[in-house]
Amino acid sequence: MLNYLNAYRLAHSRLLLTVFAVLVLFLTSSCGLFGAKKKIQVPQLLTPAAEAGRDRLIYEVNRLSNVTSIHGKVYIVFEDTSFATVGIADQYRTVDGDITLQRPGKIYLIIQFLLVDIAQMTSDGEQFRLAVLKGDRYKRFVKGTNNAVYKRLDEVDPVTPKKDQKNAEKETLSALSNLRPQHLTDAFMIRPIDSNGPLVYAQSEFFQEEPDVRQGAKKGARVMRPYYVLDEFSQPSGGQSKLMRRLWFDRVSGIRLARIQSFDDAGKLVTDVAYFNEKQLGAGPTASLPSRIEITRPQDQYKLSITYQDESSVELNRAGGYAPKAFVLENKWGLPELDLDAAHKKVTANK
């Protein structure tokens, strides 16, 4: 009996010793866990974040859609995103532009460098025409349909540059050749929202981490910006609905339309337009509009940044509008012509 009690006391002592050792180890490690503090930099949430319902968001879109025509001088920067998958994007020199737009979907754009026209393009809302005027081997007059889907022009009509031709010029002209004027009309002349129409809208909230672009911000600083997102869907058919547009509204100190993404029938991103620096534009009629617009076409592999040269000289809502013939470009230069619709039919017939 005595041996049994001694064995019991020995086991009990060992258990207490084990518990004590574990407790000491935990307290020792917890000093490092809870005692020392290390500051971690987290993005600052931008405030105040405005509150708004769906009707307020629709009002903001339609306010920007009230502009019926625009004419002004702009700066244009082209960026080829062909190599974006490996972290490379070629940015081209800034060129001057003279842009005229009118609803529905009409545009006449002249692109210049050092006061010399290098390209002109028009769209009457259904058909587009493009004249590349610079570069002996790149000069051509291209015609096509706005809502058609074509391959990149350098695939349809390949051009072999001269050995002594500058690479930057080759890339710039290639980017111009693949630019479609209707991509600009969709970005500048925003399609309004009919709240009683057939489309369906859903509002949600989103917070996105972004670079801090505020004046005086530290280099590399990040912020968290609050957004409202308004998704535009087609009417459900066969139990399915398609996402058509996604509209982003910046909520910092008010409600501002900041971005519009457009999608095709397969749900792929077609166009991503960002709006910056809203200012009062116009010499006669005026309106508060974005003074810089960035247009990204992921599938066409290019990006455009367009900025008004002088906000006060922009002409808005011209009385009586522009004549239809102002948006039909004629091949007055006698350039080699390329009809993309005819080329597409030829390829289809050969297949």
Side-chain angles (χ1 to χ4, degrees), residues 100-120:
T100 304
L101 305 112
Q102 181 170 283
R103 293 188 186 276
K106 298 180 179 181
I107 182 173
Y108 191 149
L109 174 62
I110 300 175
I111 301 174
Q112 299 177 321
F113 183 70
L114 298 177
L115 301 179
V116 176
D117 290 2
I118 58 177
Q120 293 189 22

Side-chain angles (χ1 to χ4, degrees), residues 8 39 104 113 217 235 252 259 271 292 304 309 336:
Y8 174 79
K39 292 184 178 180
F113 183 70
Q235 274 285 357
V252 179
R259 184 180 182 188
T271 307
R292 180 165 66 91
L304 290 179
Q309 295 184 15

Side-chain angles (χ1 to χ4, degrees), residues 23-24 71 147 196 205 303:
L23 182 61
V24 170
H71 173 74
N147 59 6
N196 298 318
E205 186 179 51
K303 177 180 177 180

Side-chain angles (χ1 to χ4, degrees), residues 296-314:
T296 303
R297 296 276 300 182
Q299 298 180 38
D300 294 323
Q301 300 178 335
Y302 74 77
K303 177 180 177 180
L304 290 179
S305 179
I306 304 175
T307 308
Y308 289 108
Q309 295 184 15
D310 181 9
E311 295 87 1
S312 62
S313 66
V314 177

Side-chain angles (χ1 to χ4, degrees), residues 82-334:
S82 303
F83 303 101
T85 53
V86 291
I88 302 173
D90 295 322
Q91 187 170 338
Y92 307 124
R93 65 183 71 184
T94 302
V95 296
D96 295 313
D98 187 293
I99 190 170
T100 304
L101 305 112
Q102 181 170 283
R103 293 188 186 276
K106 298 180 179 181
I107 182 173
Y108 191 149
L109 174 62
I110 300 175
I111 301 174
Q112 299 177 321
F113 183 70
L114 298 177
L115 301 179
V116 176
D117 290 2
I118 58 177
Q120 293 189 22
M121 58 189 69
T122 63
S123 171
D124 61 4
E126 296 181 359
Q127 304 288 323
F128 71 86
R129 298 186 176 192
L130 163 67
V132 180
L133 306 173
K134 195 174 185 298
D136 293 339
R137 290 178 174 267
Y138 288 88
K139 289 181 179 180
R140 48 192 164 185
F141 190 84
V142 184
K143 297 186 293 184
T145 304
N146 284 6
N147 59 6
V149 178
Y150 305 109
K151 292 183 178 181
R152 286 175 61 90
L153 200 57
D154 44 14
E155 296 179 28
V156 178
D157 183 26
V159 175
T160 304
K162 294 180 180 179
K163 292 183 179 180
D164 59 347
Q165 186 177 31
K166 294 182 179 178
N167 191 51
E169 181 185 5
K170 177 183 75 70
E171 293 173 338
T172 302
L173 294 171
S174 176
L176 283 174
S177 298
N178 289 286
L179 177 62
R180 298 290 175 261
Q182 64 270 22
H183 300 165
L184 279 70
T185 58
D186 294 342
F188 279 82
M189 313 302 282
I190 299 171
R191 177 165 53 84
I193 294 176
D194 182 2
S195 55
N196 298 318
L199 301 180
V200 180
Y201 294 88
Q203 178 180 343
S204 59
E205 186 179 51
F206 191 80
F207 295 87
Q208 180 165 285
E209 184 179 329
E210 302 174 353
D212 191 352
V213 295
R214 295 176 297 174
Q215 188 174 4
K218 294 182 179 179
K219 185 178 180 181
R222 309 280 291 179
V223 292
M224 192 71 70
R225 185 176 295 273
Y227 288 94
Y228 280 128
V229 176
L230 190 65
D231 285 333
E232 179 183 78
F233 297 93
S234 63
Q235 274 285 357
S237 177
Q240 292 187 344
S241 185
K242 296 177 182 178
L243 175 62
M244 302 178 65
R245 288 193 300 177
R246 175 166 290 157
L247 300 97
W248 296 65
F249 298 85
D250 186 353
R251 299 172 54 196
V252 179
S253 302
I255 299 296
R256 179 185 68 86
L257 180 62
R259 184 180 182 188
I260 299 179
Q261 295 173 298
S262 302
F263 302 85
D264 63 14
D265 290 341
K268 293 182 179 180
L269 180 63
V270 176
T271 307
D272 195 341
V273 183
Y275 300 96
F276 302 93
N277 305 334
E278 188 166 309
K279 296 180 180 179
Q280 201 70 19
L281 304 183
T286 63
S288 182
L289 299 171
S291 62
R292 180 165 66 91
I293 298 178
E294 288 186 357
I295 304 170
T296 303
R297 296 276 300 182
Q299 298 180 38
D300 294 323
Q301 300 178 335
Y302 74 77
K303 177 180 177 180
L304 290 179
S305 179
I306 304 175
T307 308
Y308 289 108
Q309 295 184 15
D310 181 9
E311 295 87 1
S312 62
S313 66
V314 177
E315 182 184 2
L316 302 175
N317 301 334
R318 181 172 181 171
Y322 297 91
K325 63 180 181 180
F327 302 98
V328 179
L329 185 65
E330 300 293 344
N331 187 8
K332 57 186 177 183
W333 306 274

